Coordinates of all heavy atoms in Angstrom, one line a residue:
G109 N 0.3 -29.1 -5.0 CA -0.2 -30.4 -5.4 C -0.9 -30.3 -6.8 O -0.6 -31.1 -7.7
L110 N -1.8 -29.4 -6.9 CA -2.5 -29.2 -8.1 C -1.6 -28.8 -9.3 O -1.8 -29.3 -10.4 CB -3.7 -28.2 -8.0 CG -4.8 -28.7 -7.0 CD1 -5.8 -27.5 -6.8 CD2 -5.5 -29.9 -7.6
S111 N -0.7 -28.0 -9.0 CA 0.2 -27.6 -10.1 C 1.1 -28.7 -10.5 O 1.4 -28.9 -11.7 CB 1.0 -26.3 -9.7 OG 1.9 -26.6 -8.6
G112 N 1.5 -29.5 -9.6 CA 2.3 -30.7 -9.9 C 1.5 -31.7 -10.8 O 2.0 -32.2 -11.8
A113 N 0.3 -31.9 -10.4 CA -0.6 -32.8 -11.2 C -0.8 -32.3 -12.6 O -0.8 -33.0 -13.6 CB -1.9 -33.0 -10.4
L114 N -1.1 -31.0 -12.7 CA -1.4 -30.4 -14.0 C -0.1 -30.4 -14.8 O -0.2 -30.7 -16.0 CB -1.9 -28.9 -13.8 CG -2.2 -28.2 -15.1 CD1 -3.3 -28.9 -15.8 CD2 -2.7 -26.8 -14.7
A115 N 1.0 -30.2 -14.2 CA 2.3 -30.2 -15.0 C 2.5 -31.6 -15.5 O 2.9 -31.8 -16.7 CB 3.4 -29.8 -14.1
A116 N 2.3 -32.6 -14.7 CA 2.5 -34.0 -15.2 C 1.5 -34.4 -16.3 O 1.8 -35.1 -17.2 CB 2.3 -35.0 -14.0
Q117 N 0.2 -33.9 -16.1 CA -0.8 -34.2 -17.1 C -0.6 -33.5 -18.4 O -0.9 -34.1 -19.5 CB -2.2 -33.8 -16.5 CG -3.4 -34.3 -17.3 CD -3.6 -35.7 -17.0 OE1 -2.8 -36.5 -16.4 NE2 -4.8 -36.1 -17.4
T118 N 0.0 -32.3 -18.4 CA 0.2 -31.6 -19.6 C 1.6 -31.6 -20.2 O 1.8 -31.1 -21.3 CB -0.2 -30.1 -19.4 OG1 0.7 -29.5 -18.4 CG2 -1.6 -29.9 -19.0
G119 N 2.5 -32.2 -19.5 CA 3.9 -32.3 -20.0 C 4.6 -31.0 -19.8 O 5.7 -30.8 -20.4
R120 N 4.1 -30.1 -19.0 CA 4.8 -28.8 -18.8 C 5.5 -28.9 -17.5 O 5.3 -29.7 -16.7 CB 3.7 -27.7 -18.8 CG 3.0 -27.6 -20.1 CD 2.1 -26.4 -20.1 NE 2.9 -25.2 -20.2 CZ 3.0 -24.4 -21.3 NH1 2.3 -24.8 -22.4 NH2 3.7 -23.4 -21.3
S121 N 6.4 -27.9 -17.2 CA 7.1 -27.9 -16.0 C 6.2 -27.3 -14.9 O 5.3 -26.5 -15.2 CB 8.4 -27.1 -16.1 OG 8.1 -25.7 -16.2
V122 N 6.4 -27.6 -13.7 CA 5.7 -27.0 -12.5 C 5.9 -25.5 -12.5 O 5.0 -24.8 -12.3 CB 6.1 -27.7 -11.2 CG1 5.5 -27.0 -10.0 CG2 5.8 -29.2 -11.2
D123 N 7.1 -25.1 -12.8 CA 7.4 -23.6 -12.9 C 6.5 -22.9 -13.9 O 6.0 -21.8 -13.6 CB 8.9 -23.4 -13.2 CG 9.8 -23.7 -12.1 OD1 9.3 -23.9 -10.9 OD2 11.0 -23.9 -12.3
D124 N 6.3 -23.5 -15.0 CA 5.4 -22.9 -16.0 C 4.0 -22.8 -15.5 O 3.3 -21.8 -15.7 CB 5.4 -23.8 -17.3 CG 6.7 -23.6 -18.1 OD1 7.4 -22.6 -17.9 OD2 6.9 -24.4 -19.0
V125 N 3.5 -23.9 -14.8 CA 2.1 -23.9 -14.3 C 2.0 -22.8 -13.2 O 1.0 -22.1 -13.2 CB 1.8 -25.3 -13.8 CG1 0.4 -25.3 -13.0 CG2 1.7 -26.3 -14.9
L126 N 3.0 -22.7 -12.3 CA 2.9 -21.7 -11.3 C 3.0 -20.3 -11.8 O 2.3 -19.4 -11.3 CB 4.0 -22.0 -10.2 CG 3.7 -23.2 -9.4 CD1 5.0 -23.5 -8.5 CD2 2.5 -23.1 -8.5
E127 N 3.8 -20.1 -12.8 CA 3.9 -18.8 -13.5 C 2.6 -18.5 -14.1 O 2.1 -17.3 -14.0 CB 5.0 -18.8 -14.6 CG 5.1 -17.5 -15.3 CD 6.2 -17.5 -16.3 OE1 7.1 -18.3 -16.2 OE2 6.1 -16.7 -17.2
G128 N 1.9 -19.4 -14.7 CA 0.6 -19.2 -15.2 C -0.4 -18.8 -14.2 O -1.3 -17.9 -14.3
A129 N -0.3 -19.5 -13.0 CA -1.2 -19.2 -11.9 C -1.0 -17.7 -11.4 O -1.9 -17.0 -11.2 CB -1.0 -20.1 -10.8
A130 N 0.3 -17.3 -11.3 CA 0.6 -16.0 -10.9 C 0.1 -14.9 -11.9 O -0.5 -13.9 -11.5 CB 2.1 -15.8 -10.7
R131 N 0.2 -15.2 -13.2 CA -0.3 -14.3 -14.2 C -1.8 -14.2 -14.1 O -2.4 -13.1 -14.3 CB 0.1 -14.8 -15.6 CG 1.6 -14.6 -15.9 CD 1.9 -15.0 -17.3 NE 3.3 -14.9 -17.5 CZ 3.9 -15.0 -18.7 NH1 3.2 -15.2 -19.7 NH2 5.2 -14.9 -18.8
S132 N -2.5 -15.3 -13.8 CA -3.9 -15.3 -13.7 C -4.4 -14.4 -12.5 O -5.3 -13.7 -12.6 CB -4.5 -16.7 -13.5 OG -4.3 -17.5 -14.6
V133 N -3.6 -14.5 -11.4 CA -4.0 -13.6 -10.3 C -3.8 -12.2 -10.6 O -4.7 -11.4 -10.4 CB -3.1 -14.0 -9.1 CG1 -3.2 -12.9 -8.0 CG2 -3.4 -15.4 -8.5
V134 N -2.7 -11.8 -11.3 CA -2.5 -10.4 -11.7 C -3.5 -10.0 -12.7 O -4.0 -8.9 -12.6 CB -1.0 -10.3 -12.2 CG1 -0.8 -8.9 -12.8 CG2 -0.1 -10.5 -11.1
W135 N -3.8 -10.9 -13.6 CA -4.8 -10.5 -14.7 C -6.2 -10.3 -14.1 O -6.9 -9.3 -14.5 CB -4.9 -11.6 -15.7 CG -5.8 -11.2 -16.9 CD1 -7.0 -11.8 -17.2 CD2 -5.6 -10.2 -17.8 NE1 -7.5 -11.2 -18.3 CE2 -6.6 -10.2 -18.7 CE3 -4.5 -9.3 -18.0 CZ2 -6.8 -9.3 -19.8 CZ3 -4.6 -8.4 -19.1 CH2 -5.7 -8.4 -19.9
Q136 N -6.6 -11.0 -13.1 CA -7.9 -10.8 -12.4 C -7.9 -9.5 -11.7 O -8.9 -8.8 -11.8 CB -8.2 -11.9 -11.4 CG -8.6 -13.2 -12.1 CD -9.9 -13.1 -12.9 OE1 -10.8 -12.5 -12.5 NE2 -9.8 -13.6 -14.1
Q137 N -6.8 -9.1 -11.1 CA -6.7 -7.8 -10.5 C -6.8 -6.7 -11.5 O -7.5 -5.7 -11.3 CB -5.4 -7.7 -9.7 CG -5.4 -6.3 -9.0 CD -4.0 -6.0 -8.4 OE1 -3.0 -6.5 -9.0 NE2 -3.9 -5.3 -7.4
R138 N -6.2 -6.8 -12.6 CA -6.2 -5.8 -13.7 C -7.7 -5.7 -14.2 O -8.1 -4.6 -14.5 CB -5.3 -6.2 -14.8 CG -3.8 -6.0 -14.4 CD -2.9 -6.3 -15.6 NE -1.6 -6.1 -15.2 CZ -0.5 -6.4 -16.0 NH1 -0.7 -7.0 -17.1 NH2 0.7 -6.2 -15.6

Side-chain angles (χ1 to χ4, degrees):
L110 292 172
S111 63
L114 183 59
Q117 192 76 345
T118 61
R120 300 187 72 109
S121 73
V122 173
D123 289 340
D124 286 345
V125 173
L126 290 172
E127 181 180 334
R131 286 182 186 192
S132 293
V133 168
V134 171
W135 185 249
Q136 286 299 314
Q137 182 193 26
R138 288 179 179 175

